[in-house]
Amino acid sequence: MSEPDGMLAAVAGRMSSPVFVGRDEELHTLTAAFRAAVSGQPGMVVIGGEAGVGKSRLVEEFADTVSAEGARVLIGGALELGSEGLPFAPFTAALRTLVRELGADEVRALSQGAAELGRLLPELGATGTHGADGSARGPLFEAFLLLLERLAEQQALVLVLEDLHWADRSTRELLVFVLRSLRTARVLLVATYRSDDLHRRHPLRPLLAELPRMQHVERIDLQRLTRRAVAGQAAGILGHNPDNELINTLMERAEGIPLFVEALLECSDQAQCDITDTLRDLLLRSVEQLPDPAQQMLRIASAGGIRVDYPLLCAIWDGTESELGESLRTAVENNVLLADGDLLRFRHALIQEALHDELLPGERTGLHRRYAEALERDPSLISDGRATMEIAHHWYAAHAADRALPAAWTAAREAGDSYAYAEQLSLLERVLSLWEQFPDSIEVDHAALLQAAGVAAYNSGNPARAAAYASSGLAELDEETEPMRAVRLYLLRGRSRQQMSRLERSEDFQRAAELVKVEPESALAAQVYTRMANLQFLVGANDEARCYAERALELSRRIGETASTADALITLASSDAYAGDYDRSLERFAEAEAIGAAVGASEQLLRAAINHTDVLNAIGRYEKAIEVAQAGMARARAAGLHRTLGAFVGHNLAEALTPLGRWDEAEEVLAEALELSPPPNTEWFLVGQRAALLLGRGRVEEAATIVERSRHLRDPKDPITQNRASLAQLDSRIALAQGNPSAVLDTVGPTLADEAVRGRHAWPLLVLAAQACADLRLQAAALHRNDDLARAEDVLADLRAKAATVDVAGPIQSAQRATFIAECRRATTPADSAVWDEVAAIRAELKEPYAQAYALFRAAEAALAGGERDAAVGRLVQARSLSVPLRSDLTAEIESLAQRGRLTISGSAPVAPVDQLTAYRSATGLTEREMEVLSLLADGRTNRQIGETLFISPKTASVHVSNILAKLGVQSRTAAAARAHQLRLFERPPVLQV
């Protein structure tokens, strides 16, 4: 590979991500072109993109891929030596690499002694003039083409020509000749160029226009990385997932340029660091090539920010308008500025930052003052109504604190009105930092400022900071003299702590309820009652929740407090659903949503969307839940609450998509919500839903890992019923997938013992516990573990008694009860297929493909055990048709059952063994080699076949088999094989998604 130019090498050679992210589609395009070349269809892929966007990294990954497949990769690059560069430089560099690999004699032999190649590389013979032209060019071109064809006869060849924007005319002409002359040779050409270096009259432009018209030429315009890809790149560099604030900073400063992300992450302060000298040189290279007037204009524009309006720039420009126009034209033509009407934007944020840093201190403050004064005189100089915020920024940058503080306060209020909560928080924190210098410049006291900052932090998805501001505000207030102000701060802190799953939230809400008694008929009192109602509902105290909610509803209606009316109705609707009255629940949601929509109460509408979709999911109305959730997510984005309430709506959307089998969509929704770095409580639910999807696809260890890493998000003593039940479900499903049913019973037992865990929270746990009992009973019988057998039977009796006390409300709970009954039968009468057929029919009615497939699989298992082979085949075929589109773990289990039963189902394939046998080895004392023999024994192999597979003698295999029989306590090979199959030792058991 050719060396990158010195400037890029200095920036890129120090820290890079071991993870290749965000380029799957482009890598696929390159790989597809290579496959075509291997089949005899030579072609070319042209990769364009701005400096640092990752062209070389993409080529490197591609080269590694095809090299591993046996291809030869030659890489050469053009050199920056003026507009015409060094003749044939990329080809010469590639040829030099080839000579190093094969030797000059071998290369001469391949080219049939063509002395013309010596014009490119003297080591190959003739020493003609390097810039071959005229009659000498034809033989040279033919010789190089012949060499490529001969190389391609030995192995597929990839020739990479980097930095084509610096290539000379001869290089471009040889490239076109080779491309047009290749016919069937297994050759792929790959060329890269910098799009930002192509000014309007650049000599490469005609070739780029011509290439797509040639046969088998593809073009890749490499875009900047998405936010998700930048997060992945940063995680690879740092060794851990970056927080949301760091990702925001990287996106703001590096704007998706991988090279710049790496450079910013290199310094100890990570993305807050100053631009390094090397990176600054790279950024300003294109600027320094411009005429002096254009450079001066860009320095002035840099003080205006990443983007600046042309009328505003005119207002502070000292020269004539024609001089400004000429300078702007030059900057745009050379890709330093981008123009969109009157709006001018620096091509990259770091270019603006580097130029701004180059300003002298006095020059910098003077420019910012001029910008601020110009905007105060005429705010219309900015077209999109951001003048107030810009004025605040420029006064602050000009170090005029007396002007900056009131300007920031005004801008913060406008930002809040526009739902720009993160910007509002930043402005309010600026006000707080300047407060002591000019405390009388705005008519708000310090405690009110702290409260405003706390509300902005809460709305922007930063509950920890919101709680801190609320605590600071409470420390400054006297609760006896200003109780209602304290109530607001306690409510803010309680809500923030609730988002963080902090138990102290109860104390905050209780204190607010005590203080608000001084004004029991106030709007604030209604808010306190709605918060108390919601808290009581979450901890399972439904009667208390209804009491508070009805009190809040009566008060809020009496005093005309619309938002609290909607809030109270939402809690009552959720309470109705908890009690099984779903019709009344849906009526209340409709009323709450109508009230919220009438007054534009975004927070209440989003809370309604969260609870409404939760209830719809609980009764199996998944399509309606998807509709409500999608509308809620759109509303959250519009209201600036996408990181908080919007992310939770995203969880409920994924929860609706999952049972319908729309797993890919659900994964995408969850990934986008997690990218927002939502509050801890929301993040926990998102992680849990993602883990459930991973389990459904057999990615057990990955699911277990993300759950374990996320436990810190939730207080283990949290009394919220939903939280405890969901965690118990998740831990149980992981334990079942890991083949540890005893752990499931240890987890589920204490949770079900809680009286608050009823109805929709109890039935999934009952199903998982019954499944665990069935699995434990099979294991215990196979291993002669009487204690486990007795435990399974005892727990099963307790579960049946518990189930008899749990109400069934709605079709989902009916399906779960039917599944529970079937799992209990499996633990006692495994040959009963009719009960599983009933479950399959119920799940089909609900349009739940995975759950239906699982029931059919169990029905087939029971039918096969009862000798009903044809009935088993039909069920397995149907189950497989449902599971394959999901790419679920159940497909392998279905095919394994078919193999064990010697049944033929279309498309079945052998199941690969998985390494989850540690517990079994420990229990039986089998060695690793004996486990390998048992695996082959279970497959019906003879001693000779076992010996051939493991490269041991039949006699040694016989000794291993004898040891296995003794350790398992069985008398025959058939019994040992049956034991292995009964325990599914070499498969991963399915886990029903409930």
Side-chain angles (χ1 to χ4, degrees):
M1 180 179 293
S2 65
E3 295 295 324
D5 62 277
M7 190 176 299
L8 277 176
V11 175
R14 301 176 66 181
M15 176 184 289
S16 62
S17 173
V19 181
F20 184 61
V21 297
R23 304 301 189 203
D24 291 344
E25 184 177 342
E26 292 83 359
L27 189 58
H28 175 75
T29 298
L30 283 164
T31 305
F34 172 72
R35 302 270 182 269
V38 169
S39 68
Q41 180 183 294
M44 180 177 183
V45 179
V46 185
I47 305 171
E50 57 192 305
V53 80
K55 301 180 294 297
S56 294
R57 180 66 185 270
L58 173 62
V59 169
E60 179 184 336
E61 293 290 330
F62 170 65
D64 289 345
T65 299
V66 298
S67 294
E69 297 181 12
R72 182 189 300 280
V73 180
L74 298 177
I75 302 179
L79 302 176
E80 186 181 13
L81 296 174
S83 61
E84 279 305 306
L86 185 67
F88 300 116
F91 294 103
T92 299
L95 196 56
R96 182 174 291 111
T97 301
L98 183 65
V99 169
R100 282 200 298 265
E101 292 178 0
L102 301 180
D105 291 341
E106 178 66 19
V107 174
R108 279 193 292 268
L110 285 170
S111 60
Q112 297 181 354
E116 286 79 5
L117 290 181
R119 298 179 180 277
L120 298 181
L121 201 64
E123 295 96 304
L124 296 178
T127 56
T129 305
H130 216 43
D133 59 4
S135 60
R137 292 165 61 87
L140 171 61
F141 285 16
E142 291 289 349
F144 193 81
L145 175 65
L146 175 63
L147 176 62
L148 295 183
E149 291 174 337
R150 295 292 296 275
L151 287 169
E153 290 173 2
Q154 297 179 347
Q155 60 191 123
L157 176 66
V158 175
L159 177 59
V160 179
L161 308 173
E162 291 200 289
D163 297 325
L164 212 58
H165 52 282
W166 288 330
D168 66 297
R169 177 178 176 180
S170 297
T171 295
R172 298 192 295 271
E173 290 177 349
L174 176 53
L175 171 61
V176 172
F177 172 81
V178 169
L179 185 59
R180 285 178 169 167
S181 302
L182 289 170
R183 291 293 180 264
T184 59
R186 297 182 300 163
V187 177
L188 177 67
L189 303 175
V190 178
T192 71
Y193 70 92
R194 284 192 196 169
S195 56
D196 48 320
D197 271 17
L198 300 189
H199 54 75
R200 193 167 59 185
R201 293 175 294 279
H202 196 285
L204 184 61
R205 283 189 178 276
L207 176 59
L208 293 176
E210 179 184 1
L211 284 174
R213 293 195 289 267
M214 297 183 185
Q215 195 172 17
H216 308 312
V217 175
E218 294 191 68
R219 184 165 172 174
I220 295 175
D221 293 316
L222 208 56
Q223 304 299 311
R224 298 176 180 183
L225 293 179
T226 63
R227 179 187 175 87
R228 188 181 306 177
V230 167
Q233 181 191 10
I237 292 173
L238 300 172
H240 59 81
N241 291 327
D243 59 36
N244 191 66
E245 187 174 351
L246 176 57
I247 298 173
N248 287 342
T249 305
L250 289 174
M251 288 303 296
E252 180 181 345
R253 298 186 72 195
E255 295 187 301
I257 301 292
L259 181 72
F260 298 164
V261 172
E262 293 171 357
L264 291 173
L265 286 174
E266 184 175 331
C267 64
S268 58
D269 195 20
Q270 294 182 338
Q272 301 298 332
C273 68
D274 293 331
I275 298 174
T276 63
D277 290 341
T278 305
L279 180 54
R280 181 178 291 104
D281 290 343
L282 172 62
L283 292 164
L284 296 182
R285 186 180 65 85
S286 57
V287 175
E288 291 166 350
Q289 295 174 350
L290 303 180
D292 288 343
Q295 292 189 43
Q296 176 62 17
M297 178 276 298
L298 289 169
R299 283 193 289 270
I300 294 172
S302 73
I306 297 171
R307 56 181 185 172
V308 60
D309 289 71
Y310 175 72
L312 177 58
L313 190 57
C314 283
I316 64 167
W317 176 253
D318 290 329
T320 65
E321 188 172 351
S322 62
E323 290 172 339
L324 175 59
E326 182 60 32
S327 295
L328 287 172
R329 187 177 299 106
T330 302
V332 170
E333 287 181 353
N334 286 274
N335 294 314
V336 178
L337 287 180
L338 305 175
D340 182 10
D342 277 349
L343 186 63
L344 303 164
R345 190 185 189 281
F346 281 91
R347 179 175 52 79
H348 198 287
L350 286 180
I351 295 177
Q352 178 267 332
E353 188 176 332
L355 279 165
H356 188 259
D357 288 348
E358 291 286 294
L359 296 172
L360 297 174
E363 184 182 16
R364 185 183 303 128
T365 56
L367 282 172
H368 282 293
R369 177 175 287 275
R370 288 167 61 188
Y371 271 106
E373 291 171 344
L375 286 170
E376 284 187 339
R377 286 193 301 269
D378 185 2
S380 68
L381 292 172
I382 290 183
S383 58
D384 58 2
R386 67 183 193 278
T388 304
M389 193 172 295
E390 288 292 310
I391 290 169
H393 162 71
H394 287 299
W395 281 128
Y396 187 72
H399 305 301
D402 58 327
R403 308 289 293 275
L405 192 153
W409 174 247
T410 302
R413 287 185 295 177
E414 288 193 7
D417 292 341
S418 302
Y419 310 120
Y421 298 118
E423 290 78 5
Q424 182 188 28
L425 176 59
S426 177
L427 288 162
L428 288 171
E429 290 180 335
R430 181 179 298 170
V431 173
L432 285 166
S433 71
L434 300 172
W435 175 261
E436 289 189 3
Q437 297 180 52
F438 300 97
D440 300 324
S441 59
I442 57 176
E443 295 180 357
V444 179
D445 66 21
H446 197 253
L449 265 181
L450 291 169
Q451 179 181 327
V455 171
Y458 179 87
N459 287 334
S460 64
N462 197 330
R465 192 177 296 183
Y469 279 126
S471 295
S472 297
L474 285 167
E476 293 188 7
L477 288 179
D478 182 345
E479 295 181 10
E480 298 299 323
T481 60
E482 297 183 287
M484 300 306 280
R485 292 186 70 182
V487 167
R488 290 185 175 87
L489 288 167
Y490 276 118
L491 284 177
L492 172 61
R493 191 169 71 178
R495 296 172 67 194
S496 302
R497 285 172 166 175
Q498 185 159 319
Q499 285 195 345
M500 295 186 290
S501 297
R502 293 271 299 277
L503 302 185
E504 301 95 324
R505 63 188 172 228
S506 298
E507 300 169 8
D508 287 330
F509 291 143
Q510 289 286 358
R511 183 57 179 158
E514 293 170 8
L515 291 173
V516 83
K517 291 176 182 177
V518 299
E519 293 187 21
E521 295 294 305
S522 65
L524 199 53
Q527 292 177 34
V528 170
Y529 301 148
T530 60
R531 287 296 157 194
M532 289 296 295
N534 183 52
L535 178 65
Q536 295 302 320
F537 173 75
L538 290 174
V539 299
N542 202 35
D543 292 341
E544 291 86 345
R546 293 190 71 87
C547 245
Y548 273 113
E550 287 168 355
R551 184 178 179 184
L553 182 62
E554 189 274 331
L555 172 60
S556 57
R557 279 179 168 164
R558 188 170 67 250
I559 66 176
E561 178 59 23
T562 310
S564 293
T565 300
D567 262 330
L569 285 168
I570 292 166
T571 300
L572 286 170
S574 299
S575 177
D576 290 335
Y578 184 82
D581 191 348
Y582 290 109
D583 291 337
R584 180 60 174 148
S585 172
L586 296 178
E587 288 175 5
R588 288 196 198 268
F589 278 126
E591 185 181 359
E593 288 163 354
I595 291 171
V599 296
S602 296
E603 185 173 347
Q604 283 69 34
L605 286 170
L606 287 170
R607 183 169 173 247
I610 291 170
N611 290 31
H612 191 181
T613 52
D614 185 57
V615 170
L616 291 169
N617 284 332
I619 58 177
R621 295 181 59 181
Y622 302 122
E623 295 291 351
K624 180 62 176 177
I626 291 169
E627 177 187 330
V628 173
Q630 289 175 336
M633 291 177 71
R635 181 174 292 115
R637 284 190 291 270
L641 298 172
H642 51 290
R643 185 181 171 193
T644 53
L645 296 174
F648 209 111
V649 176
H651 163 266
N652 286 10
L653 174 57
E655 201 172 39
L657 292 166
T658 299
L660 292 176
R662 294 162 64 174
W663 289 7
D664 290 341
E665 292 177 66
E667 284 189 347
E668 184 66 22
V669 169
L670 293 170
E672 290 178 359
L674 284 166
E675 274 183 11
L676 299 172
S677 189
N681 184 60
T682 303
E683 184 179 351
W684 165 255
F685 280 101
L686 292 166
V687 168
Q689 188 64 27
R690 181 165 182 263
L693 285 169
L694 291 172
L695 287 170
R697 284 181 165 157
R699 293 157 65 182
V700 179
E701 295 312 313
E702 188 177 350
T705 298
I706 67 170
V707 170
E708 192 59 36
R709 288 177 179 172
S710 302
R711 288 190 189 277
H712 70 281
L713 298 171
R714 182 163 305 293
D715 191 320
K717 298 178 181 179
D718 195 330
I720 292 180
T721 306
Q722 181 182 8
N723 297 349
R724 288 181 292 114
S726 64
L727 179 57
Q729 281 188 54
L730 203 51
D731 284 342
S732 297
R733 291 195 59 204
I734 291 171
L736 277 175
Q738 292 174 331
N740 190 358
S742 290
V744 177
L745 303 184
D746 294 340
T747 298
V748 170
T751 310
L752 282 175
D754 187 342
E755 288 299 320
V757 178
R758 294 179 293 178
R760 64 175 298 190
H761 299 310
W763 280 114
L765 292 172
L766 286 166
V767 171
L768 288 166
Q771 185 177 358
C773 282
D775 290 351
L776 182 62
R777 184 178 177 278
L778 289 173
Q779 284 187 7
L783 295 172
H784 304 295
R785 291 178 175 169
N786 293 331
D787 289 347
D788 283 349
L789 192 62
R791 185 188 187 195
E793 292 173 353
D794 290 345
V795 171
L796 201 60
D798 291 341
L799 292 174
R800 284 172 165 156
K802 174 69 176 179
T805 69
V806 179
D807 294 335
V808 177
I812 296 299
Q813 291 179 34
S814 295
Q816 290 166 341
R817 180 177 62 177
T819 307
F820 170 76
I821 292 170
E823 291 288 6
C824 289
R825 295 276 183 88
R826 184 167 71 90
T828 53
T829 54
D832 187 353
S833 60
V835 67
W836 283 110
D837 286 335
E838 181 184 348
V839 174
I842 295 171
R843 298 293 188 176
E845 182 70 21
L846 291 168
K847 299 179 181 178
E848 297 178 349
Y850 184 90
Q852 182 187 354
Y854 176 85
L856 288 166
F857 162 75
R858 290 299 185 197
E861 186 180 53
L864 187 59
E868 303 174 23
R869 297 176 60 81
D870 290 343
V873 169
R875 292 179 176 99
L876 287 178
V877 168
Q878 187 180 359
R880 188 179 186 281
S881 70
L882 292 167
S883 70
V884 167
L886 302 177
R887 306 195 307 280
S888 78
D889 63 332
L890 191 55
T891 301
E893 188 73 9
I894 291 166
E895 293 169 350
S896 176
L897 178 60
Q899 290 169 12
R900 298 199 306 271
R902 301 294 188 265
L903 305 177
T904 300
I905 60 174
S906 176
S908 62
V911 180
V914 294
D915 185 17
Q916 294 186 358
L917 312 177
T918 304
Y920 186 74
R921 282 182 55 197
S922 175
T924 59
L926 291 174
T927 66
E928 185 173 346
R929 173 60 92 182
E930 287 166 352
M931 290 297 290
E932 292 176 344
V933 173
L934 179 58
S935 166
L936 296 171
L937 195 65
D939 200 35
R941 307 288 184 91
T942 65
N943 286 350
R944 179 174 298 280
Q945 290 170 329
I946 291 172
E948 291 172 350
T949 301
L950 299 179
F951 301 101
I952 58 178
S953 69
K955 183 176 180 180
T956 302
S958 176
V959 171
H960 284 309
V961 170
S962 297
N963 291 339
I964 291 169
L965 299 183
K967 290 180 179 180
L968 296 185
V970 296
Q971 302 300 315
S972 68
R973 300 163 61 90
T974 303
R979 179 73 54 80
H981 284 308
Q982 185 181 33
L983 294 177
R984 294 197 294 274
L985 289 177
F986 305 105
E987 313 153 18
R988 176 170 288 146
V991 184
L992 174 62
Q993 292 195 41
V994 291

